[in-house]
Amino acid sequence: MKETDLRYERTRKNILAAMTRLLQTKSFEQITVTNICQEAEISRSGFYLHYVDKYNLVEVNLQKFRDQANQFLAETSDRDKTKLFSNMLNYLQGEGKLIAALLSENGSVEVQNYIKRVMQENARVNIFPQLNLKIESETEQHFAIIFLSNALLGVLQDWINRGQKESPAELVKIMTHLITFDFKK
């Protein structure tokens, strides 16, 4: 049974790695299950043991990303933006390589919009209330959240599209320099 579990996990990792590699040269829309299977060197039945289709593969991994992002927020009890940014960037270079690829210029617009909505909701619920900003109306708060989430997503996408040349530590330093507000103590 343990050998079966190891093979199952190895196949899952091969599928994720294959999709990540394919997104370096093809758009998400151009990628098929057959492409993924060929790149991962697995059978279609092996793919279907894990996922219903490529959209399900993305959905499952987006949920893992959302759970991980929420965990990072919960772990950052002192609301240290440097630690939060660092955790997210390191995740995108490690376990979250597929999410990073989906955020790239070859990624899925639907995925990018989903991540933008998740970032906006997390900013609204978890981050924005902790900021020392003087917001005068709900409309102003709405646009401040849009501004913040789009700015952060834009930086992430550019970093990914340029090949993640800067280390997470370097990018965190840049981001914390640009984002001058702090969380409430």
Side-chain angles (χ1 to χ4, degrees), residues 13-144:
K13 285 181 180 180
N14 286 345
I15 292 168
L16 297 180
M19 178 63 119
T20 302
R21 285 190 304 272
L22 287 167
L23 283 165
Q24 292 173 357
T25 58
K26 290 183 170 191
S27 73
F28 178 76
E29 289 75 22
Q30 294 173 322
I31 297 171
T32 65
V33 170
T34 300
N35 297 143
I36 297 167
C37 292
Q38 289 171 344
E39 183 70 25
E41 298 179 351
I42 62 168
S43 66
R44 287 177 65 87
S45 61
F47 177 89
Y48 291 121
L49 284 173
H50 295 269
Y51 304 104
V52 174
D53 54 23
K54 72 177 185 177
Y55 301 100
N56 178 244
L57 181 157
V58 169
E59 182 181 328
V60 167
N61 284 281
L62 279 174
Q63 186 58 50
K64 287 180 183 178
F65 171 71
R66 186 176 187 154
D67 293 346
Q68 188 63 59
N70 287 334
Q71 183 179 337
F72 289 149
L73 280 168
E75 289 173 355
T76 312
S77 58
D78 57 355
R79 302 290 190 198
D80 178 3
K81 67 184 176 192
T82 303
K83 182 178 178 183
L84 181 61
F85 293 158
S86 181
N87 285 343
M88 291 303 296
L89 294 173
N90 283 311
Y91 176 80
L92 290 172
Q93 281 196 324
E95 286 180 61
K97 285 181 182 173
L98 176 58
I99 298 301
L102 289 164
L103 284 171
S104 76
E105 57 199 3
N106 281 341
S108 163
V109 172
E110 291 84 8
V111 169
Q112 293 166 7
N113 287 335
Y114 172 82
I115 290 175
K116 193 183 304 182
R117 286 190 306 273
V118 167
M119 290 175 75
Q120 290 167 359
E121 181 62 17
N122 277 330
R124 187 182 65 74
V125 172
N126 298 309
I127 296 173
F128 208 76
Q130 302 299 319
L131 300 178
N132 285 320
L133 298 177
K134 295 187 182 359
I135 300 296
E136 297 178 8
S137 69
E138 284 187 33
T139 302
E140 189 175 347
Q141 178 179 334
H142 168 78
F143 285 111

